[in-house]
């Protein structure tokens, strides 16, 4: 039990990854910190439930090993990231095509050429042709030609490969100085061929941004593509909750209090529904955007992208390896899907298969049936006998980032009153962690504490499964 008169230097409201990461930075600078969380668990949107031994994420999590804050945020050095197979698998016309395979650090003309070959399915130096992967099942066959569909002609593919390689080598500051448009318009304005846009970039960005209409700012889209081109898509081992739990474990005992809802805040105190008032030297509101605006009237509430995640198990796993599968034909509700137990075997009991699929937007009634029908086409196997483990819908999953989007929204409202969370940066794990980094720096500066804020802690390793 907490004493109503409890004193701390800083009270953090919300134990999502932003609040926990900020608390970690504050406590390591010697600042006494209390984190108050309304729910009975830490993690916020990064929740994982266990059903029959399966580890099911509420979020269809796609992280990148290139997210800078996964390297920088103190407390995440024990996090294990499980990489997907390189690039993505694109489904088009009953076939699978691997796309977006990048050479890490390939910035020279020679490097770019190699990346283009990999993308184009052309022969690799010293190796055989990189052929598209056939969808297993009787109705499809391995294409004999070097058809690049849905990536377009060899020239289209070369341009795409060069563009991705260039993007990987472009400093983030340069990306952020480009003119800002809705992402869908920017793709066309940059002169890329329609087939490359529709067959690869649109489905990829839709999945990365959780935005089916690509109304997101082109700057956020560029950042997402930059992370894709310079790293590997990955999942946290054990489920999305591994990330907040790892952060919580590194806090001094007694820092986090769950089941405590904050009802109002000021620069020197917070009031809670359950335990009265807490006195403190500063308050950091680290809730989602809507709850933050309730506590801090006047704060902007953005629109949101709804996301539904569907988990299935089957005795006959599809033969797509540990790939992220996208539908270039947009022939159903699934934006992306993967045999997640191949990427991270700890998410399913031994010998069992977990397939996780993500639907964007408001789902139609009977979404599970529509998802199964779509998955049958995507994987090329019957899915009628697949068992549904869970269907989880989150209406306010990801804050919309329409242009003009301020990627560095203020985190210091007044001396003593601060705000962080994904709605202050980008609607992503990277954005939530980065906003926490900025907010903790602002709190420490105002408290006159010189912390080791910018020290780089050990990098979480992306270990191959
Ligand atoms: C379905 C889905 C899919 C997603 N896909 C991706 C993806 O592919 N890639 C990616 O990078 N990101 C993705 N995201 C976004 C990512 O999960 C979020 O950006 C991130 O988790 C936000 O963390 P946060 O700490 O800012 O907020 P939250 O996780 O929302 O944490 C806020 C916390 O504050 C608590 N709280 C609220 N009000 C109060 C109060 N009054 N008192 C006390 N506590 C309170 C809440 O209970 C919660 O625990 C997805 C999110 C969802 C839901």
């Amino acid at each position: 039990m907490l004493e109503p008169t409890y004193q701390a230097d800083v009270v953090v409201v919300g134990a999502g990854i932003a609040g926990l990461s900020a608390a970690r930075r504050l406590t390591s600078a010697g600042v006494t910190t209390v984190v108050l969380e309304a729910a009975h668990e830490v993690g916020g949107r990064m929740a994982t439930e266990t059903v029959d031994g399966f580890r099911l994420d509420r979020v269809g999590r796609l992280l990148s090993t290139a997210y800078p804050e996964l390297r920088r945020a103190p407390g995440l050095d024990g996090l294990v990231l499980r990489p997907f197979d390189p690039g993505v698998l694109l489904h088009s016309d009953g076939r699978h095509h691997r796309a977006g395979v990048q050479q890490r650090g390939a910035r020279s003309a020679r490097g770019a050429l190699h990346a283009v070959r990999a993308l184009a399915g052309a022969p690799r130096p010293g190796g055989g042709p990189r052929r598209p992967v056939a969808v297993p099942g009787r109705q499809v066959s391995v294409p004999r030609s070097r058809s690049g569909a849905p990536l377009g002609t060899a020239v289209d593919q070369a341009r795409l490969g060069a563009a991705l390689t260039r993007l990987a080598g472009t400093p983030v500051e340069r990306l952020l100085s480009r003119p800002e448009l809705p992402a869908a318009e920017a793709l066309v304005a940059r002169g890329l061929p329609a087939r490359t846009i529709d067959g690869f970039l649109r489905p990829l960005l839709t999945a990365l941004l959780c935005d089916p209409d690509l109304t997101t700012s082109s700057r956020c889209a560029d950042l997402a593509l930059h992370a894709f081109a310079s790293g590997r898509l990955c999942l946290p081992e054990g489920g999305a909750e591994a990330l907040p739990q790892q952060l919580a474990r590194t806090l001094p005992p007694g820092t986090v209090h769950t089941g405590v809802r904050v009802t109002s805040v000021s620069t020197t105190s917070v009031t809670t529904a359950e335990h009265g008032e807490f006195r403190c030297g500063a308050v950091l509101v680290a809730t989602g955007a809507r709850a933050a605006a309730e506590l801090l009237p006047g704060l902007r509430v953005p629109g949101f992208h709804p996301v539904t995640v569907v988990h299935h198990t089957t005795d006959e796993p599809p033969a797509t390896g540990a790939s992220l599968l996208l539908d270039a034909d947009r022939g159903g509700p699934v934006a992306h899907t993967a045999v997640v137990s191949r990427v991270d075997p700890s998410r399913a009991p031994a010998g069992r298969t977990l397939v996780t699929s993500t639907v964007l937007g408001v789902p139609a009634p009977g979404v599970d049936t529509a998802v199964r029908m779509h998955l049958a086409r995507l994987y090329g196997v019957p899915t009628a006998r697949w068992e549904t483990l869970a269907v989880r819908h989150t209406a306010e999953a990801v804050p919309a980032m329409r242009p003009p989007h301020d990627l560095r929204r203020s985190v210091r409202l007044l001396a003593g009153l601060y705000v962080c969370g994904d709605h202050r940066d980008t609607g992503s794990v990277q954005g939530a962690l980065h906003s926490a980094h900025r907010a903790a720096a602002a709190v420490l500066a105002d408290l006159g504490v010189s912390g080791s804020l910018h020290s780089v802690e050990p990098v979480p390793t992306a270990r191959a499964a």
Side-chain angles (χ1 to χ4, degrees), residues 16 54 58 63 77 90 104 114 182 191 195 219 224-225 234 259 279 291 301-302 352 371 383 391 406 418 430:
F54 290 91
R58 193 172 182 93
L63 301 185
D77 39 300
L90 287 169
R104 295 199 69 174
H114 192 96
R195 271 172 78 170
R219 290 183 183 157
L225 279 180
C234 59
R279 309 287 305 164
V301 182
R352 306 292 304 276
V371 165
T383 56
V391 179
D406 184 354
Y418 311 83
Q430 161 65 22

Side-chain angles (χ1 to χ4, degrees), residues 1 204 319 367 425:
M1 278 301 277
L204 177 66
V367 65
D425 274 60

Side-chain angles (χ1 to χ4, degrees), residues 310 312 333-334 357 359 366-376 383:
V310 186
H312 291 107
V334 175
S357 311
V359 174
V367 65
D368 186 32
T369 308
V371 165
R372 276 164 191 270
M373 288 167 69
H374 195 189
L375 291 179
T383 56

Side-chain angles (χ1 to χ4, degrees), residues 13-20 36-39 41-46 58-63 67 207-208 210 260-263 286-289 291-292 294-295 306-309 336 358 392-394 396-399 420-423 426-432 435:
V13 184
I17 51 170
L20 292 169
L36 302 179
E37 167 56 50
E41 305 285 341
V42 302
R45 277 168 277 168
M46 302 280 284
R58 193 172 182 93
V59 303
R61 173 88 19 241
L62 293 177
L63 301 185
Y67 279 175
L208 296 177
C210 298
V260 183
R261 175 169 293 280
V262 172
T263 53
T287 66
E294 281 163 17
L295 293 170
V307 179
T308 305
V309 180
H336 58 90
T358 296
R392 295 285 176 261
H393 178 67
T394 307
E396 297 190 348
V398 178
C420 67
D422 60 351
H423 54 106
T426 56
S428 65
V429 168
Q430 161 65 22
S435 73

Side-chain angles (χ1 to χ4, degrees), residues 248-292:
R249 267 198 298 274
T250 65
L251 292 172
T255 303
V256 180
H257 301 272
T258 55
V260 183
R261 175 169 293 280
V262 172
T263 53
S264 68
V265 298
S266 75
T267 54
T268 53
S269 69
V270 304
T271 307
T272 69
E274 298 81 2
H275 301 282
E277 191 183 51
F278 286 65
R279 309 287 305 164
C280 55
V283 175
L284 170 56
V285 175
T287 66
R290 192 174 298 283

